[in-house]
Every structure is written in structure tokens, then in C-alpha cells.
Amino acid sequence: MSLDLSTRCLGLTLANPLVAGAGPLTANLDTIRALEDAGAGAIVLRSLFEEQITGRELGAAKHLYGHAPSAEAQSWFPDVDAFALGPDEYLEHVQRARAAVRVPVIGSLNGTTRGGWVHYARLIEEAGASALELNLYDVPTDPAADSIAVEDRLLGLVRDVRAAISIPLSVKLSPFFSSLPAFVRELEHAGANGIVLFNRFYQPDIDLEALELQRTLRLSDSSELPLRLRWLAVLSPITPLSLQASGGVHHGRDALKALMAGAHAVQLVSALLQRGPGHLAQVLTEMREWLLEHEYDSIETLRGSMNLKRCPDPAHYERSNYMALLGSWQ
Ligand SMILES: Cc1cc2nc3c(=O)[nH]c(=O)nc-3n(C[C@H](O)[C@H](O)[C@H](O)COP(=O)(O)O)c2cc1C
């Protein structure tokens, strides 16, 4: 039986739904090539941060790149000095990555405020990116900024980026919105073509003896997937946007679940840092075997089959099952 693993995402046809997500492996041309060789359907480059362009304090970027990786990931962390890669070097990186591989290369901008820095969206398009991912990694701390103000600011940024580019635009989101479905609809009106669910928030710990905050970057595991599954399942019947899962995809079965919940593609970062780029081939094999065993002939027939509208027991995704669940505790 023939099996069609291709998927449409952000208006692009991907040979399969496995996307190498933004992170250290996509900051390096050798690992980018290795990711393509292992079967990546697309590659998201690590982000260019608003702070790198404006010269302000590097907030989120420091969490992601400003410390030694855990022992498990050490061998696969390429030697990346993220801060040596200024905005111009980033544009060169986009060009080189585009020339190095045949799969779509997605640029990534990471920021939260409107401003002149947004013109880098156009420069990333001109450097050859097939699409742009805008990461809205935002940590509101000002009680004077209510949820409407926060959402208006983020939507304004999305509109500005949309106006600057003509390539597809996806928006990487936090799970923390009062009404995610309503915000996603607003993103659609602002010109987004897709969303990525979700950012992981990097939580500082407290060192009790030194009385200092400790930066911790724990890689994910599959236990982070169900948060994504729920919201993919809720959103996929009600939005025309391309949906990508990010967070907790480590094995073939994780990818299959996300696709069933409604994802068009899934991104992997921690799994590839832990096991190396070649792990993508293993994930693809696991998916292929399961799909053939269960007589699926394409990703399209699988996609959304367990979303809120199509699963046999939608209450599990909703509040209605909440009391029953608590009662089932042994
Ligand atoms: C070391 C590291 C660096 C990352 N750098 C970026 C980045 O530059 N831009 C971005 O949008 N996400 C970045 N991420 C977040 C990942 O793209 C991804 O959303 C997150 O790790 C969850 O996926 P995972 O469970 O597959 O790791 C980074 C993650 C890690 C672990």
C-alpha cells in the first residue's frame, strides 16, 4: 500500500510533517544539512531577537542561548555564539541555509513591541526565506496593561509584520490567553497564515543560598504534548490557519497524536538536541509503520480525526468532563 506523508502547511507543500523547530541546530549549516538528510520536511531557523536589532537587553535570547546546555544535549549543541550573530549575519545565515538545502527554510523573528525593527521581516524575506515565524514570547508584568492592551499590542505587531512581507506568516504563541480561540481569530484578521502552539516559558528558579535567580533550561519530554493536543483539537475545526505543534514531540506516536488533533505539521527541538538530527529519520519510520499497520494511505486522512468535532468523546477536551475526571482518582 502506498503512503503519502506530504502535508500542506503555510501554503507550502512539505514532503512530510516533521519540521526542525527554531533552536541551536538550525543556527548551524552543518546541522541544517544533517536535518534535511534525516528527512526534515522544513527547517525553522533560530530567531533573530528584537533586542539584537534594537540593541536593548537580550531578554528571552539569554534564556535560550546564554548558558551551557545540559549534559544530555551537549554533544548536539553546535558551537553557536548567538550574540556574535548580529542582524546582518542573521540575514547571511538565511541566504546560506536557503542555498544549502532544498526543503523550505523558515526565518524566525522574536519580539513583542511595534517599531522600526520590524523591517527585518522584509529583509528576511529578501534573503530567501520561504515563510516567516513570528515568536510573540511575552511576559506581561505591568498591572496597568490589561489583556485587551496586551492583545492589541501583539496584534498591531502582527499587522506590521504582515504589511512588510508577502511570504506566509505564522505566529508562535503562548498558551496563556483568556480566550485563545478569539485571539486566533484576531490573528487571522491581522494577516497571519498559521500559528505555532506553543512557546515553552523558561522559568527561573531561586538559589536559596546565594539568593540569586538561576537560569534553568530544561529540555522537554512527551508529557508536554497534551496541552498542545487539547488546543489543536479545539482550534482545528474553527480556524483556516495552518497549525503546527511545538513542545513535547519526541516520538512517532507524539507526531501522530498532534496530527490527529489537527496539526498540519509538528516541530521538534528538544528531541533532536537529545538524540541528534538523525532522530528525525527514526520518528518518520515510527510514523510510517503505525500508519501502514492501521491502513492509512495519507496524512490528510489522519489529520483532525481526533479533533473536538470529530472525536467520539469531545467532553474530554472540555469542562464537562472535569468533575468525572477528578472523581476517577484512585
Ligand atoms: C536551546 C533552545 C533554543 C531555542 N531557541 C529558539 C529560538 O531561537 N526561537 C524560538 O522561537 N524558539 C526557540 N526555542 C524553542 C523551541 O523552538 C521550541 O518551541 C521548544 O523547545 C518546544 O519544543 P520541544 O519540546 O520540541 O523542545 C529554543 C529551544 C531551546 C531548547
Side-chain angles (χ1 to χ4, degrees), residues 21-24 45-49 64-65 67 77 108 110 133 135 172 198-200 202 217-221 224 228 246-250 267-271 273:
L45 301 181
R46 74 127 178 111
S47 296
L48 176 60
F49 292 79
L64 297 174
Y65 293 96
H67 72 111
F77 260 72
S108 170
N110 202 315
E133 186 172 291
N135 187 335
K172 190 167 176 178
F198 289 114
N199 266 315
R200 292 171 79 225
Y202 300 97
L217 176 55
R218 208 180 40 77
L219 297 179
S220 74
D221 58 42
E224 298 195 19
R228 280 77 186 166
S246 174
V249 180
H250 284 249
Q267 300 190 357
L268 297 89
V269 174
S270 292
L273 285 170

Side-chain angles (χ1 to χ4, degrees), residues 197-243:
L197 308 169
F198 289 114
N199 266 315
R200 292 171 79 225
F201 279 86
Y202 300 97
Q203 319 286 5
D205 200 354
I206 295 176
D207 181 329
L208 282 178
E209 300 311 321
L211 292 184
E212 281 174 356
L213 291 184
Q214 280 179 331
R215 248 188 270 149
T216 53
L217 176 55
R218 208 180 40 77
L219 297 179
S220 74
D221 58 42
S222 301
S223 68
E224 298 195 19
L225 188 66
L227 175 71
R228 280 77 186 166
L229 296 182
R230 172 190 297 261
W231 287 108
L232 286 165
V234 170
L235 292 169
S236 77
I238 55 176
T239 180
L241 300 184
S242 292
L243 303 176

